[in-house]
Amino acid sequence: LNRLPLSGRPRLAQAPLLAPAAILWIVLFALPLFSFLVFSFWSVRARIMRPDFTLQNYVATIREYGDVLLITLGMGLIIALATTTLAFLFAYAIRFRAGRYGDMLLFITLIALFGGYLVKIYAWKSILGRDGIINGFLMWTGAIREPLEILIYSHGAIVVTLTYFLLPFAILPIYGSLRAIPEDLIEAASDLGASSLQVSRDVVLPLCERGLGVAFLLSFLISVGDYVTPRFVGGGASMMGHFIETQFSFGFNWPKGSAMSFTLLAASLALVILCRTLLRRLLRP
Amino acid sequence: MKASAIATAAWSAFIAAVVTFMLLPLALVIVFSFNAAALTSFPLTGFTLDWYARLFANDSFWPALTDSLIIAAAVAILSVMVGVLAAMGLSKLKGRAAMLLLDILAIPMMLPALIIGIALLSFFVRVLSLPLGLPTVILGQLVVIVPFVVAILYARLSNFDWSLVESARDLGASPLTAFATITLPIIRPSVAGAALIGSGNTLPTLVWGMVRTSLDPTINAIATLLLGLSIGSTVLALRLLDYRR
């Protein structure tokens, strides 16, 4: 780009092009999030929100939901690790192992993006449910007499359903950074005597750090904030999102719901930064 | 030789397993939407269109469909308009500055939808005193969709040769003509992809209510229709934009 005569032009010339997106970002994202943060310091008396500056909502969040918060972060970590690992292996297979079937696998990944979130949760509910497909099949073959109760309404069901939903979203950014790795770099490394495992670890993995980071971040943050999957396939195994949603639908305690949201966000960001540091150490010894 | 044959077999097995994991649940939804039994369970009992008939007879189905289509169309059009402009602006900036702006722009895409949703809800209701309805749903969708659109288009535009636009301008073409005749034809497959993510994200409240209350094969029917609608609209958009060329 820099070789073009454009580079001499003042940067402000791009401002009108960026203005609509910037206005949208400020008015529909930054301002609402800021006012939402302000609400978290308000208090509620007789079911009415009152302007205030109290940390009471945050104290209550830690005291009442501290254990739920830890479970939620743990679940998010498990789901993000499972999703990112599967997505990396599959993207690696598309790029380096599948040969002429690569395009077809990429197309299958795109198909898997469709269908919508609720439809996918419903699909797993009907697979894992008490009268569902797995139980029905096992009873039909005679392997079991009574339906297995542990399939649905468990932490495992939440992990499977969310990994299923997030996998195509994670494959695409990782594949994007794998595609940018030139073939001759890999060839050069193996010509110099590196085994395929060494090539993967020392050449491929560090070069797709951005893709891996995006996939991990996306799947972690979507998992910790989710309240639909825990509700429909998780049963009693509830996560933070469920309790936040309750403050808005039944509790009418918006300031507390807001404090719970920002506690969840802050804890998630701290964990993400920790994971990022560890990943950096791991990829660049 | 033997070790590489084992590795190939292992990779094939892994690929087959992941493909099955990604496609089987949706395939089952489609199959059971045509199955006669009221329980979603094997063995299959026979072919029927009853679940579709029951869905079309449902009073709340048609208004829900209309609203979803209106939202999808509005979000697709608006997000592509805003996204194309932003991606063009970004692609003319230096790589580092563009990446930084792109990351800032992408924050709403990364945050949990629940938190963005309730933050917007409280902002619309408490601060702006707006009535909730289709317009607020469209605005809420835009926040999350626009970063996707910008990211997709920026990836395409950043390895796009701007000198073509410059020479057209030198020849006396207005910037708009240059955009419509040179920029758009080159980026349009990506515009289609971006517009589709825009419309594929609408959350049908009807399904929400159904999943919550029952495990009825009518949900299989509506899920199959949604799947057909999203894949069908993709194929149609790619056709209209002449993707084959």
Side-chain angles (χ1 to χ4, degrees), chain A residues 41-55:
Chain A
F41 300 104
W42 286 20
S43 56
V44 173
R45 261 170 293 154
R47 297 210 138 197
I48 292 169
M49 285 168 69
R50 289 160 210 272
D52 200 345
F53 189 82
T54 172
L55 290 174

Side-chain angles (χ1 to χ4, degrees), chain B residues 158-228:
Chain B
S158 55
N159 43 38
F160 161 73
D161 193 354
W162 280 98
S163 60
L164 283 177
V165 180
E166 293 303 302
S167 57
R169 203 179 282 168
D170 293 344
L171 292 170
S174 78
L176 198 68
T177 334
F179 174 74
T181 54
I182 297 162
T183 314
L184 211 58
I186 293 177
I187 62 167
R188 61 187 176 174
S190 313
V191 175
L196 291 165
I197 289 184
S199 62
N201 224 22
T202 319
L203 209 128
T205 46
L206 184 67
V207 182
W208 170 265
M210 284 178 160
V211 178
R212 203 172 49 180
T213 50
S214 64
L215 262 182
D216 181 310
T218 323
I219 310 173
N220 288 320
I222 194 171
T224 305
L225 282 181
L226 285 174
L227 204 62

